[in-house]
Amino acid sequence: MFDTHWNSVKARSKVNSRSVRSPQTRTVSVDPMILQGLCLPHVKIESDSLVKNNLYMLNEGLTTNHLKKAKLMFFYTRYPSSLVLKMCFHDVQFTRCITSQLIKWFSNFREFYYIQMEKFARHALIEGVADVRGLTVGRESELFRALNMHYNKANDFQVPDRFLEVAEITLREFYIAISVGKDRDPSWKKAIYKVICKLDGDVPAEFKNHPSG
């Protein structure tokens, strides 16, 4: 059915292309039932500033509550498996598009996390920190505040102590790598990713029992 419709659309497009001098504009309509069955990306025409700020595009079936839940899950797991995602988002009907969107969310979470780690590690070197043991991440530290504001903006969630430990390990890994010049290698961060992915913990039961939408 879609092929037949699309062939007619292409045929009409060729006719329209010959009528360049015609001031009339013809609208090609597509059956909404056909589009609904397709897995098409959501395209929005926005200014560059809005696009940069809108890293977490919502897909059909996912809500802002799901996004908030995913951000809080990041305090426990930076690299969640598909099984963990399905257990924590059991109120969503998983499709290829939904799974892809959730994976993309955590990819964006990690990107922000690692950017902050590199930024603070380089700042520590500039400030003359000579001993990696001098790098700590507490609840009053600037680094934690930046992370907490991003993942827990309302500040209504008690961030687990384990996340502070993981953040401190990550910061030190970046500091050591940069201090010895490993950042000259384009793939220098991969070794750090391998360390951090092993530090994921169990997501609390309340994330699995309560619906997000």
Side-chain angles (χ1 to χ4, degrees):
M1 179 178 176
F2 184 79
D3 290 340
T4 302
H5 186 87
W6 183 241
N7 288 333
S8 69
V9 171
K10 289 193 293 185
R12 277 181 283 173
S13 297
K14 291 181 180 178
V15 172
N16 289 341
S17 64
R18 297 194 190 104
S19 306
V20 177
R21 297 179 183 178
S22 175
Q24 297 179 349
T25 301
R26 299 185 181 183
T27 303
V28 178
S29 61
V30 180
D31 189 340
M33 294 301 294
I34 295 176
L35 292 179
Q36 188 174 357
L38 297 176
C39 179
L40 299 177
H42 293 271
V43 179
K44 291 185 179 180
I45 301 177
E46 300 177 287
S47 65
D48 290 342
S49 60
L50 287 177
V51 171
K52 289 178 181 178
N53 292 329
N54 189 17
L55 294 177
Y56 311 116
M57 300 288 286
L58 294 179
N59 207 328
E60 186 175 357
L62 292 172
T63 68
T64 53
N65 284 335
H66 289 115
L67 176 57
K68 179 180 179 180
K69 184 176 188 176
K71 285 184 174 182
L72 296 182
M73 283 174 57
F74 190 80
F75 288 127
Y76 299 94
T77 174
R78 272 58 61 188
Y79 296 85
S81 65
S82 58
L83 178 60
V84 169
L85 292 176
K86 288 180 179 179
M87 287 192 299
C88 293
F89 296 94
H90 56 82
D91 55 331
V92 175
Q93 184 176 0
F94 271 77
T95 62
R96 182 169 56 86
C97 293
I98 294 295
T99 303
S100 177
Q101 183 65 75
L102 287 171
I103 291 174
K104 182 62 177 177
W105 279 356
F106 277 88
S107 176
N108 288 334
F109 299 163
R110 290 193 300 271
E111 181 179 9
F112 178 84
Y113 178 77
Y114 288 128
I115 286 175
Q116 296 304 308
M117 292 299 169
E118 181 178 355
K119 170 186 171 182
F120 279 86
R122 291 188 183 279
H123 181 72
L125 285 167
I126 293 174
E127 290 294 309
V129 176
D131 190 343
V132 69
R133 290 172 295 183
L135 296 176
T136 59
V137 179
R139 294 184 185 273
E140 300 302 319
S141 66
E142 188 177 348
L143 174 55
F144 175 75
R145 288 174 182 169
L147 296 173
N148 189 57
M149 176 61 68
H150 189 73
Y151 306 113
N152 184 28
K153 190 172 183 179
N155 201 32
D156 55 2
F157 179 80
Q158 180 64 26
V159 178
D161 291 337
R162 177 57 180 166
F163 178 75
L164 297 177
E165 298 173 9
V166 173
E168 188 171 291
I169 292 172
T170 311
L171 178 62
R172 291 181 176 184
E173 288 289 333
F174 269 89
Y175 174 90
I176 293 171
I178 296 171
S179 65
V180 298
K182 289 185 178 180
D183 56 329
R184 289 192 289 266
D185 183 343
S187 60
W188 67 284
K189 295 180 184 178
K190 290 184 178 180
I192 299 176
Y193 299 161
K194 290 180 179 179
V195 173
I196 305 309
C197 73
K198 296 177 181 178
L199 301 179
D200 277 7
D202 294 331
V203 179
E206 54 263 31
F207 282 85
K208 305 172 185 177
N209 297 332
H210 296 150
S212 325

